Amino acid sequence: MNAIVFSQTGGPEVLRLSEVPKPEVRPGMALIRVHAIGVNFADTRFRQGTYVVKPKLPDTPGMEAAGVVEAVGDGVTNVRPGARVAAFTVKSYAEYCQAPASMVVPLPDAVSFVDGAAFPIQVLTAYHLLHTADATGPGRTVLVHSAAGGVGLAAVQLARVAGARVFATVSSDAKARLVLDHGAEAVVNYATGKFADEVLRLTEGRGVDLILDAVGKPTFEEDLRCLAAFGHLSLYGRAGGPIEPFDVVRLSPKSQKVSGFMLPTVTRNFPDKTRESAERCFALMRDGRLKLHIGKTFALADAADAHRYLESRQSTGKLVLIP
Ligand SMILES: NC(=O)c1ccc[n+]([C@@H]2O[C@H](COP(=O)([O-])OP(=O)(O)OC[C@H]3O[C@@H](n4cnc5c(N)ncnc54)[C@H](OP(=O)(O)O)[C@@H]3O)[C@@H](O)[C@H]2O)c1
């Protein structure tokens, strides 16, 4: 089968289309004929060797896919061959991939393979940041950074659905328009100015209850400045670099909370919660209250171009590869 393989870590050019053996289905696993592959920012870090999970070279990137189950291994009872599914997996930049049966989510007929591939990581990260790591609901104010990206656009819409007031940041005016169209009340261009002053102005000096931050070092200090009393800053990525070590005593005067988040904490430990949240989000997609913005699709062979585009900060929404 065809797969993207890299034999050394580095820039997008290390990603090459190669012929590799089709995986043999193992006990507890589902073998999936891949129809669409979700590209995640973490894939670019994995390729560079700077992600928490290190590649075992030669390796294949990819953490999610949608397709049709071709075979299941011994002991699998929750999914059958022929089922349309989305899955949390590894090595998904390929024509076939394997996923643990507990990490496979049935895809409703109304959801395309492209939306299915766009869904697992970014939408469920946004959902669980808002509803598992926090208790987003009516009356809460939420600030979403890098809001035109995959997780960002999902978070803006899901926070609005929950009844929160949503503010957002992006790095260009074109992205700001897109985020406003997805339901943010106000969008600040954080490339051209400090966002905390604007957020404080928008909240009459109170600040926001929840900040979703996957940028890290460039935004952290400003975050603390515009976080409300008892506010919660959730750090779930570091696209702009890791934050400097800081003294938690600094959080005391306003009783603030800073937390970390990784989606696998939910998907690996709470499969029922994962499925339930997926079903809720599929229902919102059916209602039209959650729209997945597919920024661009690429052929699998052009995975390097997809990575270049994502790292350029020009991309919006989700990038998808088609094998
Ligand atoms: N913890 C978890 O479980 C989890 C799960 C999924 C994703 N994440 C994290 O969430 C973030 C978003 O992921 P995504 O896949 O949806 O990607 P994305 O948001 O579509 O793309 C990354 C965005 O990060 C922003 N950014 C800020 N500083 C950047 C820099 N120095 N270089 C490149 N981009 C920069 C850019 O938006 P602007 O140009 O508008 O700033 C860019 O569009 C990533 O940091 C990712 O690692 C974490």
Side-chain angles (χ1 to χ4, degrees):
M1 68 168 186
N2 283 319
I4 294 294
V5 176
F6 61 114
S7 303
Q8 60 186 92
T9 55
E13 69 284 352
V14 300
L15 301 178
R16 302 265 166 78
L17 190 71
S18 309
E19 182 71 27
V20 301
K22 184 175 157 184
E24 296 277 332
V25 67
R26 297 198 304 272
M29 309 286 277
L31 177 68
I32 299 165
R33 169 79 176 95
V34 175
H35 286 248
I37 302 150
V39 177
N40 287 284
F41 194 75
D43 300 343
T44 67
R45 296 294 196 239
F46 182 68
R47 186 205 72 222
Q48 292 167 10
T50 54
Y51 188 54
V52 280
V53 179
K54 304 295 174 204
K56 296 190 180 92
L57 299 171
D59 210 333
T60 292
M63 306 192 301
E64 66 188 345
V68 175
V69 174
E70 180 155 296
V72 295
D74 289 347
V76 174
T77 53
N78 67 323
V79 60
R80 292 181 179 194
R84 297 173 80 252
V85 296
F88 301 93
T89 177
V90 291
K91 301 180 192 289
S92 66
Y93 285 25
E95 289 176 317
Y96 291 86
C97 69
Q98 280 199 77
S102 61
M103 300 275 205
V104 170
V105 177
L107 211 52
D109 290 343
V111 178
S112 68
F113 286 123
V114 168
D115 277 0
F119 176 84
I121 292 178
Q122 293 179 340
V123 174
L124 294 188
T125 293
Y127 181 92
H128 289 288
L129 279 166
L130 293 166
H131 295 295
T132 305
D134 200 87
T136 306
R140 299 269 288 173
T141 45
V142 181
L143 174 64
V144 180
H145 286 309
S146 49
V151 178
L153 277 180
V156 166
Q157 294 175 84
L158 291 173
R160 269 300 295 271
V161 166
R165 288 181 74 190
V166 185
F167 305 112
T169 63
V170 291
S171 68
S172 75
D173 293 342
K175 287 184 179 182
R177 184 71 260 156
L178 181 74
V179 175
L180 287 169
D181 289 346
H182 282 76
E185 185 176 320
V187 182
V188 184
N189 183 337
Y190 59 1
T192 53
K194 294 194 167 178
F195 61 86
D197 288 336
E198 186 58 11
V199 169
L200 287 166
R201 188 188 68 74
L202 289 161
T203 55
E204 281 104 36
R206 181 182 172 274
V208 286
D209 300 308
L210 173 65
I211 302 179
L212 303 185
D213 188 341
V215 179
K217 188 172 179 178
T219 41
F220 182 72
E221 290 297 332
E222 288 274 290
D223 284 344
L224 293 182
R225 212 155 68 72
C226 66
L227 191 61
F230 292 101
H232 175 196
L233 164 57
S234 183
L235 297 172
Y236 70 101
R238 46 184 193 175
I243 64 164
E244 301 290 344
F246 82 106
D247 185 348
V248 289
V249 169
R250 288 183 57 200
L251 303 174
S252 299
K254 286 165 79 183
S255 306
Q256 295 160 320
K257 179 165 81 171
V258 176
S259 71
F261 176 87
M262 278 205 69
L263 183 64
T265 318
V266 182
T267 54
R268 292 204 186 123
N269 299 308
F270 305 99
D272 291 348
K273 217 178 187 36
T274 306
R275 275 183 182 233
E276 184 194 307
S277 57
E279 280 160 18
R280 275 195 199 178
C281 292
F282 286 141
L284 292 172
M285 285 162 69
R286 253 192 324 270
D287 292 354
R289 289 196 286 167
L290 172 63
K291 293 193 175 77
L292 302 194
H293 175 75
I294 308 299
K296 211 166 178 176
T297 58
F298 296 79
L300 175 63
D302 297 328
D305 290 337
H307 277 210
R308 275 186 203 100
Y309 189 45
L310 188 55
E311 290 174 291
S312 75
R313 295 178 79 163
Q314 299 303 305
S315 72
T316 54
K318 184 72 178 181
L319 304 184
V320 173
L321 303 176
I322 308 293

